Amino acid sequence: MSVSTKAGDTFSMDGLYSDASDVPINLTGYTVTSQIKRQNSLDLIGSLTATLANQTTSPGVFTLSATATATALWATGTFVCDVKFVNGSTVERSVTFSVVVNPAVTA
C-alpha cells in the first residue's frame, strides 16, 4: 500500500483495525500511534496524530493526520510508516506501508 501527500498540505487517512477474519476490533482503551520514517536509517520524518472514531458505532475505525504546518517540515521522498496498537501489555503493528511526500508546486 502507498499513500501520497504534498509537503505543506494537511495530511489525513482513515484506517480500520480488524482481526484475521476482517472483523473490526473495538479500540476503546487502546493507544494508537504512528510515525513516518526513512526506510533505511529509520530517521523520523514526522509523527501522525491518531484520532479514534466513535467505537460504538464504528469499531476499529481511526484517522491518522498531520497539520499543514507539520508536513511543511517533512522532507520529500518515499518513506515507511506503520500504526502501533497498544492494549495493556499487548502490542501489535500494522503492515508497513509507503508514504510518498511530493514537493508543493503552487505557492
Side-chain angles (χ1 to χ4, degrees):
M1 179 176 128
S2 180
V3 178
S4 294
T5 191
K6 289 196 174 190
D9 283 2
T10 301
F11 177 83
S12 180
M13 68 173 281
D14 294 328
L16 175 66
Y17 185 57
S18 59
D19 65 16
S21 299
D22 288 331
V23 175
I25 296 174
N26 187 311
L27 291 169
T28 300
Y30 279 69
T31 300
V32 180
T33 56
S34 184
Q35 295 180 322
I36 299 172
K37 295 186 175 186
R38 291 190 187 278
Q39 188 164 3
N40 295 328
S41 67
L42 295 181
D43 290 338
L44 181 66
I45 298 299
S47 293
L48 301 175
T49 299
T51 305
L52 303 182
N54 181 323
Q55 294 299 296
T56 302
T57 57
S58 301
V61 175
F62 61 93
T63 300
L64 300 177
S65 62
T67 65
T69 302
T71 69
L73 302 175
W74 293 359
T76 56
T78 302
F79 307 105
V80 292
C81 184
D82 64 11
V83 185
K84 181 178 174 183
F85 303 90
V86 179
N87 185 22
S89 62
T90 302
V91 178
E92 294 183 318
R93 288 179 179 81
S94 71
V95 172
T96 300
F97 57 95
S98 298
V99 176
V100 179
V101 180
N102 294 300
V105 176
T106 304

